[in-house]
Amino acid sequence: MLDRLLNFLSPNKEKAPSLLTDYSLMRADMHSHLIPGIDDGAKTMEDTIALLQGLKELGFKKIVTSPHVMADGYTNSTETIIKGRDAVREAIKQNNIDIEFDAAAEYNIDESLYPKIEKKDLLTFTRNYILVEMPFLAKPTIMGDIVYKLQTAGYNVVLAHPERYSYFHEKDFHTYHSLKDKNIFFQINIASLCGAYGKGARYTAIRMINEHMVNFVGTDLHGANHLNILRECLKERYLEKILTYDKLLNKTI
């Protein structure tokens, strides 16, 4: 059944391929892991600079990187992230890379978020957008409460790569519509459109685009192999469709 749906939604041989040559239409990326040594992204400053040079060559003008923050794993603080951001900015200046660089975070929905919300100790981008993610194996029972508390505190909640949560993959798309009804913004990964995360994620991302549910697009860049995927994805006509969507919020960052 899924294969038939993918065949229906995917470009066929008679369809024209994407005309994209770079990501200049997207302008800004708000999901990546480019501060060296603090999560599972760039390991060294040399890695970071190479990745930023690659992003610049692909047409990006601004990067808002988003290190992981989670109770079990990467317990990054606001201070750690800001210090890392400033170090990257200095390296960008020394290497003469013409790209704007800032930092927010990708917060895992877990118990450690409660005190951060209480203290308003959260890194956001643009219009108080906060990027959150969920575990891939099971939906956290506190998700509804966390979202409510964030919104009550004045944050605009952006759910990272919702197409990748297989427990949301339902025929009727009910859960996704329910999340949108709660005023949650969706950010899909570019690589999902190329099938990098499997058929289910690709089908879901395409359907979200067709139903105008996507607010942000992100690279979720971790390393050099992801740059190669970004180059390959330029051929994908659904990428062209979302990057030319006049309500895509990347253009406002």
Side-chain angles (χ1 to χ4, degrees):
M1 178 63 180
L2 180 57
D3 288 337
R4 290 199 298 271
L5 287 168
L6 283 165
N7 290 335
F8 174 75
L9 288 169
S10 300
N12 58 45
K13 293 180 180 179
E14 287 73 38
K15 297 284 186 178
S18 165
L19 297 177
L20 296 173
T21 58
D22 61 24
Y23 288 88
S24 55
L25 283 174
M26 183 172 158
R27 201 188 82 81
D29 181 39
M30 38 63 69
H31 187 174
S32 64
H33 300 270
L34 299 180
I35 295 177
I38 67 172
D39 66 2
D40 58 344
K43 302 305 179 187
T44 66
M45 189 61 77
E46 288 74 19
D47 293 338
T48 298
I49 292 304
L51 293 171
L52 286 169
Q53 287 173 330
L55 289 170
K56 174 64 181 175
E57 291 168 5
L58 284 171
F60 288 95
K61 302 296 184 184
K62 180 176 182 179
I63 302 299
V64 181
T65 200
S66 52
H68 289 293
V69 178
M70 56 181 63
D72 297 323
Y74 305 107
T75 56
N76 289 308
S77 67
T78 296
E79 292 74 18
T80 299
I81 294 170
I82 294 302
K83 181 179 179 180
R85 178 202 67 185
D86 292 346
V88 173
R89 283 178 171 175
E90 181 60 29
I92 289 171
K93 182 178 179 180
Q94 291 175 358
N95 286 273
N96 297 311
I97 304 173
D98 183 19
I99 198 166
E100 189 177 351
F101 188 81
D102 207 343
E106 183 181 14
Y107 293 98
N108 191 55
I109 294 180
D110 57 44
E111 296 287 343
S112 70
L113 258 183
Y114 283 113
K116 292 181 175 66
I117 298 171
E118 183 70 24
K119 297 175 183 176
K120 291 201 171 183
D121 181 23
L122 296 165
L123 290 168
T124 62
F125 62 98
T126 316
R127 298 168 186 167
N128 227 22
Y129 294 115
I130 181 168
L131 185 66
V132 301
E133 69 170 342
M134 297 186 294
F136 289 109
L137 296 180
K139 175 184 173 182
T141 58
I142 62 172
M143 179 186 176
D145 189 46
I146 287 287
V147 169
Y148 172 76
K149 282 182 165 53
L150 284 168
Q151 291 176 333
T152 301
Y155 297 100
N156 293 307
V157 178
V158 181
L159 182 59
H161 40 63
E163 76 281 5
R164 295 182 61 194
Y165 305 121
S166 58
Y167 45 81
F168 285 165
H169 292 177
E170 303 160 341
K171 184 177 179 181
D172 60 5
F173 240 50
H174 171 75
T175 298
Y176 290 114
H177 287 296
S178 177
L179 292 171
K180 294 302 288 185
D181 288 343
K182 292 179 173 62
N183 296 315
I184 296 175
F185 295 81
F186 283 179
Q187 172 260 306
I188 64 168
N189 282 4
I190 292 168
S192 293
L193 296 173
C194 303
Y197 305 107
K199 291 182 178 180
R202 181 170 188 264
Y203 161 70
T204 303
I206 289 172
R207 182 168 174 180
M208 285 179 177
I209 291 171
N210 284 338
E211 296 192 18
H212 304 292
M213 300 175 78
V214 177
N215 306 106
F216 294 97
V217 177
T219 66
D220 201 357
L221 185 66
H222 282 70
N225 60 318
H226 283 187
L227 282 177
N228 293 329
I229 293 172
L230 291 178
R231 295 185 186 102
E232 184 65 24
C233 284
L234 286 169
K235 303 173 185 177
E236 171 56 58
R237 72 184 182 96
Y238 280 97
L239 176 64
E240 182 178 32
K241 181 173 182 176
I242 189 59
L243 294 193
T244 54
Y245 181 46
D246 60 358
K247 295 183 181 179
L248 185 68
L249 293 176
N250 289 71
K251 303 168 187 180
T252 69
I253 298 173

